Amino acid sequence: MAQTASDIPARAELLAENLRLAARLDEAEQTLEAIRTGDVDALLVSGPHGEQVFTLDGADRVYRTIIETMNEAALTVDVDATILFCNPRFGELIGSPLAAIVGQPLTAFAAPPQYDPLRRLLADARQAPVQRRLTLRAADGRPVPCQFAASPLVTETGPQVCLTASDLSELEAAAGSARVLREQQQALEASQATLRSFYDSSTFIMGVAELAGDELLVVHTNAATARFFDTTSRDLAGRSFAAPEINGPWLDRCRHSQVRREPVEFDYEHPTRAGPRWLHATVAYLGDNDAGRPLFSYVAEDVTEQMRAKESLIQLNETLERRVAARTAEAEERAQALRQLAGELGQAEQRERKRVAELLHDGLQQVLIAAQLQTEMLRRQLTDSPLGSTAGRLDDLLRQALTTSRGLTAELAPPALYFGDLLAALQWLAHAYRDNHDLTIELTVPPTVGPIEESVKVLLFQAVRELLLNVVKHADVTAAQVGVAYRPDGQIEVSVVDRGRGFALSPGWSAGQPGSGFGLFGVRERIALLGGELRLDSQPGTGTRATLIVPVDSPLPRESAPAAAADETTPPIRVLLVDDHQVVREGLAAVLFGHDGLLVVGEAADGLEAFEQARRLRPDVVVMDVRMPRMDGVEACRLITRELPGTVVIGLSMSDDPHTIAHMKDAGATEFVSKSNVAEQLLPLIRRCV
C-alpha cells in the first residue's frame, strides 16, 4: 500500500507514544523492583485530589519487626528445603550466623535420623498447616529439640513453606527434672514407708527424745518400747525415758554425742516391773527442735539373755581354764617324768657301756696284752727255731683278738669322749664312720671348743652318732657334714647335714616318723630335759638337716649315785707312747685305756718322731722304748727332757739290764719298766711320777 503524506504525522505520534509508554513501563518495573526489595517505603501519587503519599510498609514493617524480634525461630524454605529466609533467633538456636544459614538446606542443621521426618514435615506443610516435634543439631553438635509449626506459602517465585520453631530444651530439661523429682519423691515415700514399717515392727527399742534441762523426755517411740515398759506409745510421749537411777548415764551419753557429733554406744542395766534387764543402747544427736531443745534418737536392744549367756560362758571358760591348767600341769609333770626317764635311761646306758668296756679292758685285754707281750718275747728268742713261725702265728692271732677287743671297747666307750673335749670326740667319730661305714664326714668347728659339762658332751656325742647312723641307713650318700657353733644366746649348736633322699616331715614328728628312730626320740626328750631342742628340716629329694641346740651350762639331772673316784674337773694325764713295734704301742694303749685321768695323745715309732711329737703335743708323760731306729730312746729322752723339763719320761725295754736302765736315767728318765711287767707296773708308775 502506498504511503500518503497524511500518514507520516500519525506514525511519528505513534512512535513518540510508544517511547513514552516504554519509559513509563521501565519506571514501573524499577518501582516494582524497589518495592519488592524493600528499597521504597512509600509512593507519591498524583490524582484528581492532588498528590497523595501511599506507605508501602505500614503493616509489613510491623510484621517484619515482630518476626525479627520474637523469641521463636522463623524461616522460609523452598520446595527443595533450601532456607530462603531466617530470623536472628534461628541463628541463635543453632549457633550459626545468618550468612552461614541462608541458602543451606534445612537438613544441614539436623542429625541424619531427622532427615526423613523433616522432609515429611515440609511435604505435609505444602498441603496444609502442620505441627511436629523434631530435633535439630547445633553447630557444636548438641541436639536442640524444637516444636515446629509449618504453613504453605505461595509466592511469585513458586510455592514455599513458612516455619516457626520453639526451643524445647529448657522445657524438656524441666520436665526431666520434674520426672526425676517425682521418681525421687516416690522412692523417698517408699523408703519412708519401709522405714516406718521397720520402725513400727522392729523388736528393738527405738524412738526420739528431747533434752529438757536435766531430763530426757520421749517425743515418740515404737511399739517395742511400749512393750518393754508395759505401756502404750501414747502414754510414753512426754514422759521421762530413763529411770532416776539411770538418768545420769543417759544424760552423759547424750551430751557426749551432742558435743562429738557422733553416736555413742553403751550397756546398762534398766529396771523394769519384771526385774532388771540389760540393754545395749545407742544414742545420736539429731539437732535442735523449734523450741531450741536438743533432739536425740535412741536404739536399744534387750541383751539380758546374751549377758547371762556371756556370764555363763565366762564362768565356763574359767572352769575350763582351771581344768586345762590342771591337765597341762599333769601333762607337763608326765612329760618331765618322761624326759627324766629318758635322761636316766641314757645315763644308765652310758654307764653300762663304760662298765662293759672296763670289764673288757681290765680283764680280757690285760690277758691278751700280757699274752701278746710274752709271745713277742718268745718269738724273738725262737727266731732261729722251727717254733718261731708258730710263735709268729700265735702273735698274729693275739693281735687280731686284741684289735677286735679294743675296737669293741672303743665302740662302747670311746676314749676321746671321756678323756678329750667335744672336738676330739667328733673327730674320733668321723674316723670311725669313715673306716666302718665308708661315710666321709666334713667337720666344721670353731678354732677352740670351750669346756662343756660332761653329761652335755656325752649327750651331743650320742645324738650325732644316732644322726649319722640315720644317714648311713636312709640317706644313700657317701658324705655328710657335721658343724659345731656357739650361739650368741650362750647355747651350743651342732648340726648334721646330708644331701640324700630326705623325707616328708609330718608336724610333731615322733618315734614313728621315718628315719627318726626310738634312739633319736630319746635324744630329743633328753635334750628337752636340758632346756634345748632338736630341729629337723627335710624334704624328699633335698636331704635332711638335723640341728641340736643345747645350753652349754645345763647338765643332765643326775640320779643319786656314789661319787666318782676321780675329780672330773682335774685334767687327764696326757701320755705319748714311743716304740718301733706297732703291736707294742697298741698293747700299751690297751693297758692304759679306760682308766680315769689318763689320755693317750699320740704315738711315735722312733726317737726322732718322739721328739717332734713331744714338742707338738707337750704330753705329761712319755713312755719311751730304748732300742729304736733313726734315734734311740736314750738320745730322744735327753732331747725331750732338755726341751720340755716338765715332761716325765719312763723308759721301756724288753730286758732288765742295769746298764740300759742307767743310761736312760742319765739321759733324764724318771722311771724304767720292763716290757714283761708293763701290764702290772705301767699304770701305777705313771700315777706316781706325775
Side-chain angles (χ1 to χ4, degrees), residues 441-505:
I441 297 175
E442 178 184 346
L443 190 60
T444 303
V445 297
T448 58
V449 177
I452 302 176
E453 207 282 337
E454 181 75 13
S455 61
V456 176
K457 179 181 69 173
V458 172
L459 175 56
L460 289 174
F461 176 84
Q462 291 174 335
V464 172
R465 179 166 58 184
E466 179 72 20
L467 291 169
L468 290 176
L469 186 59
N470 284 342
V471 172
V472 172
K473 291 180 178 179
H474 306 290
D476 192 22
V477 293
T478 58
Q481 294 81 42
V482 176
V484 179
Y486 285 98
R487 294 163 57 97
D489 56 2
Q491 300 186 98
I492 188 170
E493 179 178 304
V494 181
S495 60
V496 178
V497 182
D498 68 77
R499 297 290 183 266
R501 295 177 180 175
F503 57 90
L505 189 65

Side-chain angles (χ1 to χ4, degrees), residues 534-569:
L534 170 60
R535 299 175 181 174
L536 286 181
D537 183 12
S538 183
Q539 293 291 334
T542 63
T544 302
R545 170 183 287 273
T547 305
L548 302 161
I549 302 175
V550 180
V552 176
D553 54 354
S554 298
L556 283 169
R558 297 181 181 275
E559 57 181 339
S560 57
D567 185 359
E568 294 183 355
T569 62

Side-chain angles (χ1 to χ4, degrees), residues 60-345:
D60 182 67
R61 177 174 293 278
V62 175
Y63 293 142
R64 184 186 294 274
T65 301
I66 292 174
I67 290 173
E68 290 182 352
T69 59
M70 69 181 185
N71 192 44
E72 283 75 19
L75 66 158
T76 58
V77 298
D78 61 10
V79 294
D80 296 327
T82 301
I83 299 174
L84 302 176
F85 165 82
C86 69
N87 66 348
R89 176 56 183 158
F90 185 76
E92 296 173 0
L93 191 65
I94 62 175
S96 295
L98 298 182
I101 299 174
V102 176
Q104 297 292 326
L106 182 58
T107 54
F109 305 102
Q114 295 291 304
Y115 290 171
D116 289 341
L118 272 174
R119 294 189 184 101
R120 287 193 296 270
L121 171 67
L122 297 176
D124 294 343
R126 286 195 290 269
Q127 305 299 324
V130 293
Q131 292 187 6
R132 302 277 172 82
R133 182 199 177 281
L134 298 174
T135 302
L136 297 179
R137 181 173 61 183
D140 58 5
R142 59 184 173 81
V144 182
C146 297
Q147 180 67 32
F148 280 92
S151 301
L153 180 64
V154 179
T155 67
E156 297 176 353
T157 59
Q160 297 178 4
V161 176
C162 178
L163 301 102
T164 60
S166 300
D167 187 0
L168 301 178
S169 299
E170 294 183 359
L171 180 61
E172 292 191 356
S177 299
R179 184 173 60 254
V180 172
L181 289 175
R182 284 196 301 273
E183 292 174 353
Q184 291 178 347
Q185 180 67 23
Q186 292 171 357
L188 180 60
E189 291 175 355
S191 176
Q192 288 178 342
T194 302
L195 291 176
R196 171 59 65 178
S197 176
F198 171 76
Y199 179 77
D200 292 337
S201 61
S202 175
T203 58
F204 289 87
I205 298 170
M206 304 171 68
V208 175
E210 65 177 356
L211 186 60
D214 290 335
E215 193 172 14
L216 199 61
L217 303 178
V218 175
V219 176
H220 61 78
T221 187
N222 65 347
T225 308
R227 288 194 299 270
F228 181 80
F229 289 102
D230 194 19
T231 183
T232 64
S233 299
R234 181 177 299 177
D235 291 339
L236 283 174
R239 291 173 51 186
S240 175
F241 175 77
E245 59 268 29
I246 61 170
N247 190 58
W250 269 94
L251 291 178
D252 292 341
R253 269 62 173 201
C254 289
R255 287 167 177 160
H256 180 78
S257 176
Q258 182 180 9
V259 173
R260 301 290 296 272
R261 293 297 196 273
E262 63 183 14
V264 176
E265 296 185 34
F266 60 101
D267 293 326
Y268 76 101
E269 196 174 28
H270 197 109
T272 67
R273 296 177 183 177
R277 306 289 293 181
W278 277 97
L279 297 180
H280 177 76
T282 302
V283 295
Y285 174 66
L286 301 178
D288 295 347
N289 59 13
D290 295 338
R293 293 179 177 178
L295 293 176
F296 299 90
S297 67
Y298 61 86
V299 179
E301 180 185 6
D302 187 350
V303 293
T304 304
E305 299 304 323
Q306 292 90 319
M307 294 296 290
R308 291 174 180 172
K310 181 179 179 180
E311 184 66 26
S312 299
L313 183 60
I314 292 174
Q315 295 177 359
L316 179 60
N317 284 338
E318 292 176 351
T319 302
L320 290 177
E321 286 177 359
R322 289 193 296 270
R323 292 181 180 178
V324 169
R327 295 291 178 85
T328 301
E330 182 181 354
E332 184 61 30
E333 290 178 359
R334 292 183 178 180
Q336 186 66 20
L338 178 61
R339 296 189 186 104
Q340 184 74 28
L341 178 59
E344 293 177 359
L345 287 175

Side-chain angles (χ1 to χ4, degrees), residues 374-449:
Q374 295 297 327
T375 303
E376 174 64 19
M377 291 185 290
L378 179 62
R379 185 179 64 80
R380 292 184 180 183
Q381 295 175 2
L382 299 176
T383 301
D384 299 329
S385 172
L387 295 177
S389 60
T390 302
R393 289 193 297 273
L394 180 59
D395 181 71
D396 291 340
L397 292 175
L398 290 173
R399 181 184 302 177
Q400 293 177 14
L402 183 60
T403 300
T404 302
S405 177
R406 289 186 62 191
L408 180 58
T409 302
E411 181 68 23
L412 290 172
L417 176 61
Y418 295 98
F419 305 119
D421 56 16
L422 179 62
L423 175 58
L426 294 179
Q427 288 174 337
W428 178 90
L429 194 62
H431 287 101
Y433 270 80
R434 181 193 61 193
D435 297 338
N436 300 329
H437 302 288
D438 294 327
L439 181 66
T440 301
I441 297 175
E442 178 184 346
L443 190 60
T444 303
V445 297
T448 58
V449 177

